[in-house]
Amino acid sequence: MRYVLVTGGVISGVGKGIIASSIGAILKAHGVRVTCIKIDPYLNIDAGTFSPYEHGEVFVLDDGGEVDLDLGNYERFLDVTLTRDNNITTGKINEQVTKKERRGDYLGKTVQVVPHVTNAIQDWVMRVAELPVDGDKKADVCIIELGGTIGDIESMPFVEAFRQFKFRVKRENICCVHVSLVIEPKTTGEQKTKPLQSSVKQLRGLGISPDVIVCRSETPLADSTKEKISMFCDVDPEQVYGVHDVTSIYRVPLLLQSQNADSFLIQRLRIEIPQLNTEPVDIMAKWKELAERHDRLLKEVCIVLVGKYTALSDSYASVIKALQHASLAVNHRLDLKCIEAADLEPAMENENPQKYQQAWRELVGANGVIVPGGFGTRGTEGKILACKWARTKNIPFLGVCLGLQCAVIEFARNVLGWEDANSTELNMDTKHPVVIEMPEHNSGDKGGTMRLGKRRTIFKTENSLIRKLYHNSQYVDERHRHRYEVNPKVVEELEKAGLKFVGHSEDNQRMEIMELEDHPYYVGVQYHPEYISRPMNPSPPYLGLLLAACNKLPS
């Protein structure tokens, strides 16, 4: 097994996840099987209880693992299926070490960070690296992204673990890629490398010397800057790669390949390349075609996202990616407008009329509307109003998770005449609970207690638009993350009025897919189809929304 360790310097959010994914993509183009591990040095067991404003969206895996959004980048770029164990947190490591101590596994020893915690980290990495991600075949290379920034106190045990790790797996089998920021002050217009040099010095002081330095910058890295970094950071100029701001993330693998990053890594790690039927350049041509198509699109389609966490775009990272994948498939540039749901509510008209009018102006001008998932009462009435607008004005609409539930509540109120219809999450005393808590839900602990992971949805009718988008499959397997569902007792009345539930769970108890009769595209799904959307294989519900928004759905 070969390992690539990706670290970051100067600032967090420098792009380590995209760099790690891109390294995997260019290696995969040579036929190398790749797996990925993301290390998050926080004390939480997983990302499940985070507010989206903390670390962005919570990404859900097939096995129900609630993990960091970077695992979404890995799955999208590499087209692999990862597990919850591919995300390591300090909380998971501490929990494992504490359990072993309680069982007496350490034979009376004093349990310490070194060697017990650092050994646990190394053992975890080696175990997960051996898990198959491509059928039943093990990976050739494991890419490990260490979250945060070098120098953070919470990541010190992980840095020490990898200092030891290079002796455990032998120096020639592990390569360190350090991703750092090159600052370009507007006052001078010159690329400054001192912060980058300091981060490399700090990393080397902790016992890890980078083999590759990836420089993030606004503009292409100047040769003089590259030579300066080479001189002060003790690497060859050929091992310094520039990744400047580009038109789309699809260009990052191409940018690294153009600087021979794949050749260096293959040579440095002595990776045996399998015989391929196609040349690597042909495989990377798909990425090039995708990037160029993104750049040359002229027609625009306006989609409005009505959400609760719109102040941070990472809160809806997978939703936005799925919309982008679908827009590329329909050859339209995505003009995405994010509206805070609470801004649509009547209370905002009194509180801030300008914000209220701006939100409604953007909603009215949309070619399509998406209402994504969320939790809690804030903004739900605004989401319900957006559902009503899309339904009554024949605007293409997609509701995901809470979005489906809001569409059902709106329909019950305004079509069936149940004025107080609501979800028990939002109003426990409603006389018409059209959305209820799942019976088996554990209302004690919050973490890991929802209906999570891949579940099967069975289509109940041949006459379904969404089924056609799924290529007339009998069933679909999609990932879930919810603890509330449509009340089965009200389904019959909703369907009589035209709101059809065309997809059910395997036990026929849960309403998974909703469609409205006599509407261009009014669809709701209880699952999260964005989690398995891919750049070259967009999610069918999202593709349907974009097709309808571009007036291409009938064809």
Side-chain angles (χ1 to χ4, degrees), residues 384 387 391 406-418 421 493-499 514 516 522:
I384 290 168
C387 295
R391 179 181 64 81
C406 287
V408 171
I409 293 167
E410 186 280 322
F411 192 85
R413 287 180 185 178
N414 297 304
V415 178
L416 297 183
W418 301 345
E493 291 186 70
L494 290 167
E495 291 200 318
K496 282 179 183 176
L499 197 67
M514 169 213 86
L516 181 63
Y522 195 87

Side-chain angles (χ1 to χ4, degrees), residues 228-527:
K228 189 175 182 180
I229 292 168
S230 168
M231 183 187 302
F232 286 103
C233 298
D234 196 30
V235 292
D236 287 336
E238 291 74 23
Q239 292 161 241
V240 179
Y241 305 129
V243 177
H244 58 277
D245 293 348
V246 286
T247 51
S248 72
I249 58 172
Y250 310 124
R251 290 206 172 274
V252 179
L254 300 169
L255 203 53
L256 288 173
Q257 192 198 39
S258 69
Q259 298 170 78
N260 297 315
D262 50 348
S263 300
F264 173 79
L265 289 167
I266 289 166
Q267 184 179 0
R268 165 69 179 76
L269 294 170
R270 297 176 301 138
I271 301 169
E272 293 183 12
I273 301 300
Q275 294 295 320
L276 292 178
N277 295 327
T278 57
E279 290 295 319
V281 67
D282 293 333
I283 296 170
M284 291 305 292
K286 292 182 179 178
W287 284 100
K288 186 176 181 182
E289 193 275 331
L290 200 66
E292 289 182 348
R293 181 145 48 98
H294 175 277
D295 293 348
R296 67 172 179 256
L297 294 175
L298 298 176
K299 294 180 181 178
E300 276 193 348
V301 56
C302 178
I303 301 295
V304 163
L305 184 153
V306 182
K308 297 177 62 173
Y309 319 106
T310 57
L312 180 67
S313 63
D314 273 355
S315 301
Y316 297 108
S318 290
V319 171
I320 294 170
K321 292 286 190 293
L323 289 169
Q324 290 170 345
H325 300 162
S327 68
L328 280 171
V330 300
N331 291 313
H332 277 64
R333 183 181 297 279
L334 178 67
D335 177 19
L336 179 65
K337 299 185 187 302
C338 296
I339 298 177
E340 191 67 26
D343 292 351
L344 296 170
E345 297 173 3
M348 184 58 67
E349 187 175 15
N350 298 322
E351 185 182 328
N352 190 330
Q354 187 177 0
K355 189 180 282 189
Y356 174 81
Q357 290 165 10
Q358 175 65 20
W360 274 101
R361 189 159 43 245
E362 291 188 342
L363 181 64
V364 168
N367 301 119
V369 177
I370 180 167
V371 178
F375 298 90
T377 58
R378 182 180 62 83
T380 49
E381 289 301 322
K383 290 189 172 192
I384 290 168
L385 287 168
C387 295
K388 181 180 179 181
W389 173 263
R391 179 181 64 81
T392 57
K393 302 300 181 182
N394 282 339
I395 306 299
F397 168 87
L398 175 62
V400 175
C401 197
L402 179 61
L404 172 141
Q405 295 169 13
C406 287
V408 171
I409 293 167
E410 186 280 322
F411 192 85
R413 287 180 185 178
N414 297 304
V415 178
L416 297 183
W418 301 345
E419 293 183 5
D420 76 327
N422 218 325
S423 165
T424 55
E425 178 186 14
L426 311 175
N427 179 9
M428 284 292 295
D429 300 321
T430 176
K431 294 178 182 176
H432 292 96
V434 296
V435 176
I436 59 172
E437 195 172 24
M438 291 186 295
E440 73 274 25
H441 166 54
N442 173 8
S443 58
D445 291 344
K446 294 293 185 186
T449 57
M450 290 183 278
R451 186 167 180 251
L452 292 163
K454 187 169 76 171
R455 308 294 176 104
R456 180 157 292 182
T457 295
I458 311 294
F459 284 107
K460 309 304 288 186
T461 175
E462 296 282 343
N463 184 27
S464 164
L465 182 60
I466 197 77
R467 183 171 182 174
K468 289 176 184 175
L469 288 164
Y470 277 107
H471 306 293
N472 288 312
S473 300
Q474 292 183 341
Y475 59 85
V476 293
D477 293 321
E478 295 273 8
R479 298 176 184 177
H480 294 67
R481 185 177 186 249
H482 66 106
R483 56 167 58 95
Y484 289 84
E485 63 183 3
V486 175
N487 188 348
K489 294 179 181 178
V490 302
V491 167
E492 186 177 350
E493 291 186 70
L494 290 167
E495 291 200 318
K496 282 179 183 176
L499 197 67
K500 302 295 185 182
F501 293 93
V502 299
H504 295 188
S505 60
E506 286 186 285
D507 60 7
N508 212 33
Q509 294 300 306
R510 296 192 166 90
M511 305 302 113
E512 295 279 8
I513 305 173
M514 169 213 86
E515 283 183 20
L516 181 63
E517 290 181 337
D518 302 321
H519 192 285
Y521 190 82
Y522 195 87
V523 170
V525 291
Q526 186 58 69
Y527 50 80

Side-chain angles (χ1 to χ4, degrees), residues 5-229:
L5 174 65
V6 180
T7 60
V10 182
I11 61 168
S12 60
V14 75
K16 298 187 301 296
I18 298 297
I19 299 297
S21 304
S22 299
I23 288 171
I26 60 177
L27 289 176
K28 197 165 181 180
H30 288 271
V32 179
R33 289 189 295 275
V34 179
T35 187
C36 291
I37 295 174
K38 173 66 190 296
I39 295 175
D40 287 302
Y42 43 66
L43 286 169
N44 304 63
I45 298 295
D46 57 33
T49 57
F50 278 147
S51 159
Y53 284 139
E54 284 289 314
H55 283 270
E57 74 166 5
V58 177
F59 190 80
V60 178
L61 302 168
D62 272 6
D63 65 359
E66 296 173 284
V67 296
D68 184 84
L69 59 84
D70 275 320
L71 274 82
N73 287 325
Y74 305 156
E75 287 201 340
R76 283 187 287 268
F77 268 68
L78 305 178
D79 199 19
V80 295
T81 301
L82 303 176
T83 71
R84 67 179 76 228
D85 286 348
N86 289 81
N87 191 197
I88 303 175
T89 68
T90 301
K92 285 181 179 179
I93 295 295
N94 287 351
E95 182 183 50
Q96 185 188 79
V97 170
T98 303
K99 283 180 178 177
K100 291 179 75 173
E101 185 272 332
R102 292 288 84 188
R103 288 198 306 263
D105 291 1
Y106 295 118
L107 302 176
K109 294 279 188 183
T110 302
V111 181
Q112 296 175 294
V113 174
V114 180
H116 302 104
V117 170
T118 52
N119 282 348
I121 293 166
Q122 295 174 62
D123 292 343
W124 192 304
V125 168
M126 294 189 77
R127 173 175 62 83
V128 174
E130 297 292 325
L131 296 176
V133 292
D134 189 6
D136 58 350
K137 296 177 181 176
K138 293 192 296 186
D140 304 306
V141 175
C142 178
I143 299 171
I144 307 150
E145 180 193 345
L146 177 56
T149 308
I150 290 300
D152 293 346
I153 191 167
E154 60 265 29
S155 63
M156 288 301 182
F158 294 98
V159 176
E160 171 60 21
F162 286 106
R163 184 194 68 77
Q164 300 170 22
F165 194 62
K166 67 175 184 274
F167 298 107
R168 185 167 175 175
V169 300
K170 305 305 178 189
R171 179 76 179 82
E172 61 269 20
N173 293 324
I174 183 167
C175 175
C176 177
V177 176
H178 188 61
V179 184
S180 195
L181 184 67
V182 172
I183 297 171
E184 300 181 54
K186 287 186 167 46
T187 50
T188 62
E190 185 183 2
Q191 293 179 334
K192 297 292 185 180
T193 64
K194 274 291 186 290
L196 182 149
Q197 292 176 44
S198 296
S199 72
V200 172
K201 184 178 180 181
Q202 203 167 14
L203 184 60
R204 294 178 70 190
L206 295 168
I208 297 176
S209 295
D211 301 281
V212 169
I213 296 175
V214 177
C215 305
R216 285 284 291 110
S217 58
E218 289 184 33
T219 57
L221 198 67
D223 289 340
S224 58
T225 306
K226 184 180 287 192
E227 289 169 8
K228 189 175 182 180
I229 292 168

